[in-house]
Amino acid sequence: MNFIKRAGLSLWSRKARTLITLGTFLVICTMVLAGFLIGTATGRAADSAERRLGAAVTLGMDLTGAGGGMPGQAPQIGSDVVDRIGGSPLVAKYNYTYNDGTTLLGGLELTSSKRFASDAPATYTLAAGVRDSSLLPDFASGNWKLLSGGQVTAADQDRDEVLIEERLASKNHLEVGDKMTLSENDPTGKGKAVFTVKGIYRNPSDQPDPDYQQAPGDKLIVPAGALGRLNSGGKQGPTPLQGATFQLKDAAAFDAFHAQADRTAGNALKGFKLSINDKALKQMTGPLDSVTTSATAAMWLIGIAGGLVLALLATLAVKQRRTEFGILLSLGETKWKLVAQQCVEIVVVAVLAIGLSSVFAQNLTQKAGDTLLHDQAASAQRKINAWQPPPPGSTGLEQGIDPNSAPVKGADPIDKITVRLQQSDVATVAGISLGIGLLATAIPAASALRLNPRRILTKGK
């Protein structure tokens, strides 16, 4: 077709305009492609983080609804009910923890000389009854480290075993496998049991626990079932709990899990509510959201600006080529072929720009994305590091500190993405770029349909 050949000759003869158009298209294609690549890369990183974290669902007291249990008492739920809920195929793992007092017997000493309470024995301390100690936030984040032995697991609930901190082990010359006698919570009671040291862990902190002011070296970790038996005179049965945490395999399954838990537990959930906590996920993916927003905004801005520039170039081209078009029309060329010729010219330039941008867009986007993400992650990390907990014994409200704003341990902001160029990305960008180019060209080129060859050749208009 003659107009196709003319399009090629026109591009070659007008090298300056062709290069300007190519440069404009190259910027559009590169920015649009970079926007898509960053969007897909951050999406993959967010999905990966969500799969690793799952979704933390907390079973806690319903402070807004009708409470369960006796008036003036916190509601309780049996460990057997929690175990049934945790057996759902939607749950990846779950844990429960409750604290109760105990006294070390047999001449054992605590690491702190400060009494837990003025009327408590000198060796009275707190024990944390757990289902799986490895799921405790401090162990999961790596803040606490198991030095020897093993963790308390779900299989240990029928065993009298205990994890102790290395300072308590050193002071009492205890090792894994040694025995230690613990009493029930009531110091005047006679209930006691011999526990085997299953593991020794390290807590690097030297500060008292903010909730109970317990010395860090004196914290005992035991199976929840064993602690329940110790404080119930050795009776077997479900351990009364005041909450639990469930890690879902997929955050989107929360509604299904909630309905399933209601069916499984029935009235046992009275006074409790299930709430999803995606705080850790938001903390990790916050920088990703910022980078995606910036990249998307830049992509649209460049696309719109580039389209306007192309429209301006096409308008100027029509004005500059009016005489050429007048001659062609007087020789019998149809007007629609003049429009088609300009569209072919822009398509040729666009295809070339798409090909060039796809060659270096991946590396360029990787570097730009890493730089942007690193800055955002560093800023988020500084905010995390700057957070200070309320003073001991304070809720923090007097100091303007929201305890719920505390950062999640082990959920560092993501600072790296992997950019991968795929054929689908190139195809999408090609469609968008061609659409922008054709739209920006077709409207000015359509003015050729109104050209009068006689007026152009006689008056130059």
Side-chain angles (χ1 to χ4, degrees), residues 9 13 15 29 53 57 134-135 193 211 254 257 269 341 343 369 391:
L9 293 173
S13 62
K15 297 182 182 65
C29 294
L53 291 176
V57 175
S134 68
L135 299 181
D211 294 324
F254 173 69
F257 170 71
L269 281 181
Q341 177 183 332
C343 292

Side-chain angles (χ1 to χ4, degrees), residues 73-98:
Q73 294 183 355
Q76 294 182 335
I77 186 171
S79 58
D80 57 334
V81 179
V82 174
D83 287 333
R84 291 201 302 271
I85 297 174
S88 167
L90 302 175
V91 176
K93 50 191 176 183
Y94 70 100
N95 196 25
Y96 41 76
T97 304
Y98 83 100

Side-chain angles (χ1 to χ4, degrees), residues 143-163:
N143 184 37
W144 292 357
K145 297 186 182 298
L146 188 67
L147 302 179
S148 59
Q151 297 276 11
V152 171
T153 68
D156 297 327
Q157 300 307 307
D158 294 330
R159 303 167 185 158
D160 292 337
E161 296 180 326
V162 59
L163 292 185

Side-chain angles (χ1 to χ4, degrees), residues 68-316:
M70 299 294 293
Q73 294 183 355
Q76 294 182 335
I77 186 171
S79 58
D80 57 334
V81 179
V82 174
D83 287 333
R84 291 201 302 271
I85 297 174
S88 167
L90 302 175
V91 176
K93 50 191 176 183
Y94 70 100
N95 196 25
Y96 41 76
T97 304
Y98 83 100
N99 295 290
D100 214 337
T102 186
T103 302
L104 278 62
L105 304 177
L108 297 177
E109 298 180 352
L110 296 175
T111 63
S112 174
S113 59
K114 182 180 180 181
R115 290 177 181 266
F116 186 83
S118 58
D119 57 346
T123 57
Y124 181 88
T125 188
L126 284 181
V130 302
R131 178 181 181 271
D132 189 336
S133 59
S134 68
L135 299 181
L136 292 174
D138 284 297
F139 276 122
S141 67
N143 184 37
W144 292 357
K145 297 186 182 298
L146 188 67
L147 302 179
S148 59
Q151 297 276 11
V152 171
T153 68
D156 297 327
Q157 300 307 307
D158 294 330
R159 303 167 185 158
D160 292 337
E161 296 180 326
V162 59
L163 292 185
I164 60 176
E165 212 274 334
E166 63 174 336
R167 284 166 283 193
L168 184 65
S170 176
K171 186 163 187 175
N172 294 281
H173 308 289
L174 294 171
E175 297 180 351
V176 174
D178 288 347
K179 308 292 184 180
M180 56 190 301
T181 304
L182 304 178
S183 76
E184 63 178 292
N185 180 38
D186 184 359
T188 63
K190 298 181 179 180
K192 62 182 179 179
V194 178
F195 282 72
T196 301
V197 177
K198 185 176 184 182
I200 298 174
Y201 71 96
R202 173 179 295 161
N203 176 359
S205 174
D206 58 358
Q207 298 298 316
D209 178 88
D211 294 324
Y212 302 102
Q213 294 300 294
Q214 180 186 31
D218 295 333
K219 189 177 185 66
L220 307 179
I221 302 174
V222 300
L227 188 60
R229 287 192 303 275
L230 177 64
N231 287 290
S232 63
K235 295 180 181 179
Q236 297 288 340
T239 304
L241 306 172
Q242 292 182 349
T245 56
F246 303 88
Q247 202 75 18
L248 301 187
K249 297 176 182 177
D250 185 356
F254 173 69
D255 291 337
F257 170 71
H258 198 309
Q260 194 174 81
D262 287 337
R263 293 193 300 270
T264 300
N267 291 331
L269 281 181
K270 184 178 181 181
F272 291 90
K273 74 172 184 176
L274 289 164
S275 57
I276 189 168
N277 180 11
D278 56 355
K279 185 176 180 180
L281 183 62
K282 289 181 178 179
Q283 182 173 303
M284 293 180 67
T285 60
L288 296 177
D289 296 336
S290 299
V291 170
T292 302
T293 300
S294 299
T296 302
M299 179 182 71
W300 280 105
L301 180 62
I302 295 299
I304 294 173
L308 294 175
V309 171
L310 289 174
L312 178 60
L313 291 174
T315 301
L316 292 175

Side-chain angles (χ1 to χ4, degrees), residues 310-312 314-316 318 342 438-448 450:
L310 289 174
L312 178 60
T315 301
L316 292 175
V318 171
Q342 295 178 78
L438 290 175
L439 184 62
T441 303
I443 296 175
S447 62
R450 300 191 301 271

Side-chain angles (χ1 to χ4, degrees), residues 51-67:
R51 286 194 298 271
R52 292 199 310 270
L53 291 176
V57 175
T58 301
L59 175 66
M61 288 185 291
D62 185 1
L63 301 178
T64 61

